[in-house]
Amino acid sequence: MPDITDPLTTLVRRHREPAVVQAVRSTLAAVISYVVALQLSNEPAPLTAPLTALLVVQVTLYSTLTTGIRRVNSVVAGVLIAIGFSALVGLTWWSLGLIILASLVIGRFVRAGEFVPEVAISAMLVLGVTRVAETAWDRVLETLIGAIVGLLFDVLFVPPVWVQPASQAIEHLSRRMGQLLQRVGDEVCGHTPVAEAAARLHEARRLDHDIVQVDASLRQAEDSLRLNPRVKEGLLFRVVLRTGLDALEITAVVLRVICRTLTDLAKERTQEPMFPDEVAESLQDVFRHLARAVESFAVLITTQVSANAEKAEDRLVRELAAGRASRDRAAHLLLESVRRHPRQWQLHGALLAEMDRILDELDVEKRTERLAEELDRAAAEQRDRHPLLHKAQRRLRSSGYGWRRGWFNNRD
């Protein structure tokens, strides 16, 4: 009997993915706009309405509201250009070229923004249908119907909050960094071949690709928190996640430098251990504490339930304190070792400085100070940029609008 557990599990998991949700929402909005257009338009097949709805509906409410107007401008402009050309010259190879050129030029004047190419796309898609249209204004009406339905769809059926995928991506990144720190700690003990040290360096460099993916996921989460009635403290959560990822990104850069330093040491000590046994044990202890601290830091910034956040913060504080103590012991032993054998002393100093940078970047008190600064800056910027929106949000919150169960109950 075939095993259907895995396909069902995959289906359940994928139904919450942004691409799947976007496909379902776009399909529903397009169908609704088509049904509405059938009632209001004289066309037997008003396909411009669902076309516009597909272009307007976005995966987050913020994206829909901020890009919807530009998309509507581009679509309406393209439709009007197609209507004008079809009435004057019809569709030929040279008129098609003029339509594309005119669309790209006009798109700059209708504030279509990054959607200027969609002016030409809309004109070409509509041109073939417009040639047989009974009236030109039906196409404009269909476009407006699709745009309004698309906007209302996201306003009435607010897209999910995409924080959970971003949190999972951050935690996955921290686990990879923690595992790499553990392996680096194991390799400082005994003799380390150059190839092995270089492999760790390449692994550290590959973290850059992971950070790019996490950043993309976080940007989507940030957009889903903006202007979302489900979220009462969207600014706070955006700043917490963004500053947390910034700290992990800096830590990843420093980790790459550590691997570079150890690779240079391995090249100089091909026939002997990289460090004396006592020094190696202290350094290994530092790397283990750093690995746990990185993972605890990720849990702290992605956990919104206060009890779990307090536990993660306590673990982080303990690991950082233990890491600093181990680092001080390693520094004392390295100093004695350098005095006896002052070879590559600059690499020893660089290694200690890089450990200090990670400990400093993950420090709880400094993170609290940075959060306060970023919140003040972001709040002031938001008030200056959107004063009317800020007043409206304050009124909505004071009137009790929104989900009372809290943000973390809507993270999915």
Side-chain angles (χ1 to χ4, degrees):
M1 183 176 180
D3 184 9
I4 61 172
T5 303
D6 290 341
L8 287 176
T9 303
T10 301
L11 179 62
V12 171
R13 289 177 179 173
R14 287 187 177 274
H15 90 283
R16 290 183 178 272
E17 290 184 0
V20 176
V21 174
Q22 173 68 4
V24 174
R25 294 175 62 83
S26 297
T27 301
L28 291 176
V31 171
I32 292 173
S33 65
Y34 181 74
V35 172
V36 174
L38 282 175
Q39 304 299 320
L40 300 179
S41 175
N42 295 324
E43 289 296 315
L47 295 177
T48 308
L51 168 65
T52 307
L54 285 174
L55 294 174
V56 170
V57 174
Q58 299 294 298
V59 72
T60 67
L61 176 61
Y62 178 77
S63 298
T64 297
L65 295 178
T66 55
T67 64
I69 299 301
R70 295 195 297 275
R71 285 184 179 273
V72 170
N73 286 344
S74 66
V75 172
V76 171
V79 170
L80 293 178
I81 291 171
I83 291 171
F85 270 84
S86 66
L88 294 175
V89 297
L91 179 60
T92 63
W93 66 267
W94 58 268
S95 65
L96 177 64
L98 287 177
I99 287 173
I100 295 174
L101 178 61
S103 299
L104 295 178
V105 173
I106 293 174
R108 302 291 178 181
F109 294 96
V110 298
R111 297 182 179 182
E114 66 270 30
F115 304 117
V116 168
E118 290 189 8
V119 179
I121 293 172
S122 299
M124 288 187 292
L125 289 176
V126 174
L127 185 61
V129 182
T130 305
R131 288 189 300 123
V132 296
E134 296 179 359
T135 172
W137 294 110
D138 280 339
R139 296 304 170 190
V140 178
L141 175 62
E142 294 169 21
T143 300
L144 293 176
I145 290 173
I148 293 172
V149 170
L151 291 172
L152 289 178
F153 189 88
D154 265 3
V155 171
L156 297 177
F157 303 97
V158 181
V161 178
W162 298 112
V163 173
Q164 185 64 25
S167 299
Q168 292 174 347
I170 290 174
E171 291 176 2
H172 176 72
L173 173 64
S174 71
R175 284 194 296 269
R176 286 202 58 184
M177 294 172 61
Q179 292 169 359
L180 179 56
L181 283 164
Q182 290 275 11
R183 286 194 287 271
V184 169
D186 293 337
E187 290 178 1
V188 298
C189 296
H191 174 254
T192 302
V194 176
E196 197 170 316
R200 299 288 78 77
L201 176 59
H202 292 311
E203 186 176 352
R205 288 170 175 168
R206 286 195 295 269
L207 289 174
D208 290 344
H209 178 68
D210 292 344
I211 290 174
V212 171
Q213 292 181 326
V214 175
D215 182 73
S217 180
L218 181 53
R219 287 182 185 277
Q220 182 173 263
E222 290 173 329
D223 283 349
S224 72
L225 290 170
R226 291 186 175 98
L227 307 180
N228 197 318
R230 299 180 181 183
V231 182
K232 298 177 64 176
E233 298 294 341
L235 176 61
L236 172 62
F237 299 124
R238 293 203 311 269
V239 172
V240 167
L241 292 173
R242 174 55 62 184
T243 55
L245 179 59
D246 290 344
L248 288 176
E249 184 174 359
I250 294 173
T251 302
V253 172
V254 178
L255 177 55
R256 185 168 66 244
V257 177
I258 288 176
C259 293
R260 173 79 263 180
T261 301
L262 293 176
T263 302
D264 291 342
L265 276 171
K267 291 178 180 178
E268 297 294 335
R269 301 174 184 180
T270 57
Q271 304 298 326
E272 60 182 313
M274 192 178 296
F275 299 99
D277 291 343
E278 192 175 9
V279 175
E281 291 177 2
S282 297
L283 291 175
Q284 184 183 40
D285 198 33
V286 177
F287 284 118
R288 286 177 178 174
H289 288 301
L290 288 178
R292 296 168 189 160
V294 167
E295 295 180 7
S296 298
F297 180 83
V299 173
L300 173 62
I301 65 176
T302 58
T303 301
Q304 306 304 324
V305 182
S306 58
N308 292 339
E310 290 177 1
K311 292 179 181 179
E313 183 174 342
D314 290 341
R315 288 195 301 270
L316 176 59
V317 170
R318 288 196 304 269
E319 295 297 340
L320 289 176
R324 289 190 179 94
S326 299
R327 181 265 175 209
D328 292 340
R329 288 194 299 272
H332 179 72
L333 294 171
L334 276 174
L335 179 59
E336 293 182 353
S337 175
V338 168
R339 285 173 177 171
R340 294 194 301 268
H341 306 286
R343 296 178 305 155
Q344 295 86 44
W345 58 269
Q346 71 279 9
L347 294 178
H348 294 175
L351 183 61
L352 293 174
E354 290 147 12
M355 290 177 173
D356 287 339
R357 289 191 183 98
I358 294 180
L359 291 168
D360 183 72
E361 193 63 37
L362 302 180
D363 185 76
V364 175
E365 293 183 0
K366 291 189 176 181
R367 170 164 175 76
T368 301
E369 294 175 359
R370 185 186 176 195
L371 277 176
E373 294 173 357
E374 288 294 322
L375 282 171
D376 292 340
R377 184 192 61 78
E381 182 180 335
Q382 189 178 62
R383 287 194 301 269
D384 295 340
R385 184 179 300 176
H386 307 291
L388 297 179
L389 178 60
H390 177 68
K391 292 180 181 179
Q393 288 177 334
R394 290 183 61 183
R395 290 176 181 175
L396 287 174
R397 290 171 184 171
S398 62
S399 64
Y401 181 69
W403 287 16
R404 295 295 189 183
R405 289 179 292 174
W407 170 77
F408 55 83
N409 286 335
N410 299 282
R411 293 170 67 189
D412 297 337

